[in-house]
DNA sequence: GTGATTGCAAATCGTTTGCATTCAG
DNA sequence: CTGAATGCAAACGATTTGCAATCAC
């Protein structure tokens, strides 16, 4: 689970954006942190109901929408479906800053490495593919303004587990 | 619309993989070519029904599944949804070759540039991000085995149209 | 008190499955 | 003729919407 203070940072950002501080929203944020910042709406509902049994799935979706607009959360595109949300580190670091700054970067490119076995995703910093972008622009005639990159593999834990079990 | 002979190439590959040459499948392939190799299942149904009114959506899905297994078509992950399929150039060029070769590469990484205005996607060749992969492995501890990259921007046509209209 | 927020039920959308009919080889 | 393929209807899972009750401020 992610540090407790993060919940308050997220909440602060949500409130600053003009939304109110409600019990249901707190439950969703708490669930998101307990899931290490990464879960599907259904998983968040289950986690959130542990603290607020009356929590509804609709509210989970609506809260994710808000977080998404603020750039605090991102949708991951996995092959099996595109309904996993992950906390955006960029957002986490800046929750104390101006919300508008965040919103502006909400749709910038995001980059995750995703474990093929346990599904855990980590956002990585620094993405220098400008050379590749240039090459593609030349090759295709497109003017490229954004890109979206995801890597897949095994996280450290699963590498260890795999080795122990003698697999892969 | 894509050259007519392509339909036959695709069909040939499907037959070679052990599936039969049916009227419905021909209609779907034809639709795919008419859509310049890029469409959603619903769009393919509409196009296909122009030639075979009895065509069912289920068959469109099943045909896309086959093409997908053979690596002849790929699913694009757009932000609005992940249900657009695009012909894979690699597949197109190799339809005459051994189908097993194709199937083996079906799940390799795919790379598209997608126009943000007209949604047209082009697959680009050559992807040299090994350095980036190395950096990410070092940074995160993950062992990266695959990656998935998409670029977004404006295609040549839409750049021209935008300039003419005085926009963007 | 008032408008925002909630949660339910129902609608909607995309996709898959069961099954009887039809077709290709 | 026989198994593969089709298309319909229905099931299904994920997401959205209408609406009355509730809550935050």
């Amino acid at each position: 689970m992610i540090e407790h203070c993060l919940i308050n940072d997220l909440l602060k950002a949500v409130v600053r954006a003009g939304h109110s501080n409600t019990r249901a929203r707190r439950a969703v944020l708490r669930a998101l942190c307990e899931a290490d910042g990464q879960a599907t709406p259904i998983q968040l509902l289950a986690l959130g109901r542990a603290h607020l049994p009356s929590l509804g799935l609709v509210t989970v979706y609506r809260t994710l929408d808000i977080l998404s607009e603020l750039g605090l959360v991102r949708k991951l595109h996995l092959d099996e479906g595109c309904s996993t949300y992950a906390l955006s580190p960029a957002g986490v670091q800046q929750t104390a800053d101006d919300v508008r700054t965040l919103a502006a970067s909400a749709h910038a490119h995001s980059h995750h490495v995703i474990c093929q076995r346990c599904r855990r995703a980590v956002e990585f910093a620094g993405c220098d593919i400008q050379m590749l972008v240039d090459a593609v622009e030349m090759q295709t005639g497109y003017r490229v303004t954004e890109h979206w990159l995801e890597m897949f593999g095994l996280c450290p834990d699963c590498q260890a587990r795999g080795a122990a079990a003698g697999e892969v």
Side-chain angles (χ1 to χ4, degrees), chain A:
Chain A
M1 124 134 67
I2 291 180
E3 323 77 66
H4 184 269
C5 60
L6 175 56
I7 305 180
N8 292 316
D9 287 342
L10 292 172
L11 194 53
K12 221 177 288 176
V14 168
V15 169
R16 193 172 316 191
H19 305 282
S20 34
N21 174 347
T22 68
R23 182 179 283 232
R25 286 213 253 257
R26 266 177 277 139
V28 175
L29 297 182
R30 195 163 169 181
L32 193 55
C33 292
E34 285 174 1
D36 279 332
Q38 180 181 155
T40 63
I42 293 289
Q43 292 171 332
L44 292 177
L45 178 68
L47 285 170
R49 282 192 164 164
H51 301 112
L52 183 67
S54 67
L55 183 64
L57 182 56
V58 187
T59 301
V60 173
Y61 276 105
R62 289 195 274 230
T63 304
L64 285 171
D65 280 348
I66 292 176
L67 293 175
S68 187
E69 272 170 27
L70 296 178
L72 299 173
V73 114
R74 279 193 210 289
K75 217 173 188 176
L76 298 184
H77 293 231
L78 310 182
D79 264 338
E80 317 90 66
C82 306
S83 60
T84 295
Y85 290 78
L87 266 182
S88 156
V92 173
Q93 288 157 17
Q94 296 174 34
T95 42
D97 300 348
D98 188 347
V99 168
R100 269 159 304 182
T101 308
L102 269 179
S105 69
H107 297 296
H109 47 257
S110 70
H111 307 114
H112 287 88
V113 212
I114 299 161
C115 181
Q116 291 172 315
R117 192 200 273 187
C118 69
R119 299 282 106 195
R120 187 141 309 282
V122 171
E123 188 163 327
F124 57 86
C127 169
D128 185 16
I129 63 168
Q130 193 51 47
M131 277 177 14
L132 184 58
V133 168
D134 291 344
V136 169
E137 288 193 325
M138 187 114 73
Q139 187 185 125
T140 63
Y142 274 57
R143 181 182 319 170
V144 176
T145 55
E146 278 184 50
H147 60 263
W148 194 81
L149 171 65
E150 258 178 22
M151 298 191 184
F152 301 88
L154 286 180
C155 71
D157 284 357
C158 286
Q159 285 174 46
R161 247 174 270 148
E167 313 165 35
V168 175

